[in-house]
Amino acid sequence: DQQVKQNSPSLSVQEGRISILNCDYTNSMFDYFLWYKKYPAEGPTFLISISSIKDKNEDGRFTVFLNKSAKHLSLHIVPSQPGDSAVYFCAASVSGNTPLVFGKGTRLSVIA
Amino acid sequence: DARVTQTPRHKVTEMGQEVTMRCQPILGHNTVFWYRQTMMQGLELLAYFRNRAPLDDSGMPKDRFSAEMPDATLATLKIQPSEPRDSAVYFCASGLALKSVAFFGPGTRLTVL
């Protein structure tokens, strides 16, 4: 049973437009959420995180939104750049003290 | 430049052979994770250690997989005997207790023929 779900395996966006990647979770104990980016032949790298006490966290072009009542989070990238083309993983943990549970990833392609 | 290192980066072996993957966590990190990436399952947790003690290895097939931390600078994942279904990319990651962010190594791509 997948506790973290990324229902879109892939997404294509034009350069300069907004990319929105979505993630749903089922475990209400999760209170810390992260996004990782992965290029081919490399390990995932941490991108941005959010605690359940917040509903938004912003870092440059990247913003993560959390809707606890819907058990849903999203990652917005604006403006999208070709270098953002990668697989994005959503992950969650309990109190920052349990191993991360990952979704299956969404492959983002930013087209020039 | 602190990073997690993994060896080998690629391994091709025949069914039934033993495979050993090694990981050097970031110096000072006290938590080490082993994840496996497959097309079907995404990134799944195999095992993790805190202060070198195994905390959870429920994600591993116990009869063939074993994970150890001989010392704070080395974590190993062994598969014996290996099977074609073990073909995947195996990632080691390290972090600090009470801090969710885990830092991943580049992975070992394992192919079992």
Side-chain angles (χ1 to χ4, degrees), chain B residues 27-94:
Chain B
L27 189 64
H29 282 185
N30 63 351
T31 308
V32 174
F33 308 90
W34 284 104
Y35 283 89
R36 175 169 66 181
Q37 184 186 15
T38 62
M39 292 294 290
M40 296 298 294
Q41 298 297 329
L43 275 167
E44 55 178 343
L45 180 72
L46 297 175
Y48 82 106
F49 296 77
R50 182 154 293 153
N51 298 320
R52 294 178 55 203
L55 289 192
D56 185 1
D57 62 1
S58 58
M60 293 197 311
K62 297 286 191 307
D63 56 339
R64 298 185 300 109
F65 284 57
S66 62
E68 294 179 347
M69 278 203 74
D71 61 60
T73 65
L74 177 64
T76 62
L77 179 66
K78 288 187 181 179
I79 308 174
Q80 167 62 21
S82 57
E83 297 182 0
R85 60 180 166 153
D86 301 329
S87 298
V89 182
Y90 291 79
F91 290 104
C92 175
S94 71

Side-chain angles (χ1 to χ4, degrees), chain A residues 7-72:
Chain A
N7 292 320
S8 298
S10 62
L11 175 68
S12 286
V13 171
Q14 277 203 309
E15 181 179 7
R17 306 294 289 268
I18 185 171
S19 296
I20 299 177
L21 295 95
N22 293 303
C23 177
D24 297 294
Y25 61 96
T26 57
N27 187 344
S28 57
M29 297 294 291
F30 288 145
D31 57 3
Y32 197 73
F33 305 89
L34 304 87
W35 286 94
Y36 278 76
K37 180 164 89 171
K38 186 184 179 305
Y39 292 119
E42 295 183 10
T45 56
F46 169 69
L47 188 58
I48 191 170
S49 63
I50 188 167
S51 162
S52 60
I53 62 173
K54 294 185 174 182
D55 55 17
K56 176 183 174 181
N57 188 27
E58 191 171 352
D59 183 2
R61 297 186 296 113
F62 303 90
T63 304
V64 56
F65 295 92
L66 175 63
N67 182 334
K68 290 187 291 292
S69 60
K71 295 193 179 70
H72 177 84

Side-chain angles (χ1 to χ4, degrees), chain A residues 2 32 34 36 38 41-46 49 87 89 93-104, chain B residues 9 33 35 37 39-43 45 48 50 91 96-107 109:
Chain A
Q2 280 259 301
Y32 197 73
L34 304 87
Y36 278 76
K38 186 184 179 305
E42 295 183 10
T45 56
F46 169 69
S49 63
V87 177
F89 289 96
S93 75
V94 179
S95 301
N97 199 30
T98 60
L100 296 173
V101 178
F102 284 87
K104 292 188 178 182
Chain B
R9 289 295 312 276
F33 308 90
Y35 283 89
Q37 184 186 15
M39 292 294 290
M40 296 298 294
Q41 298 297 329
L43 275 167
L45 180 72
Y48 82 106
R50 182 154 293 153
F91 290 104
L96 292 168
L98 304 181
K99 299 285 185 184
S100 267
V101 179
F103 297 84
F104 281 77
R109 179 174 292 278

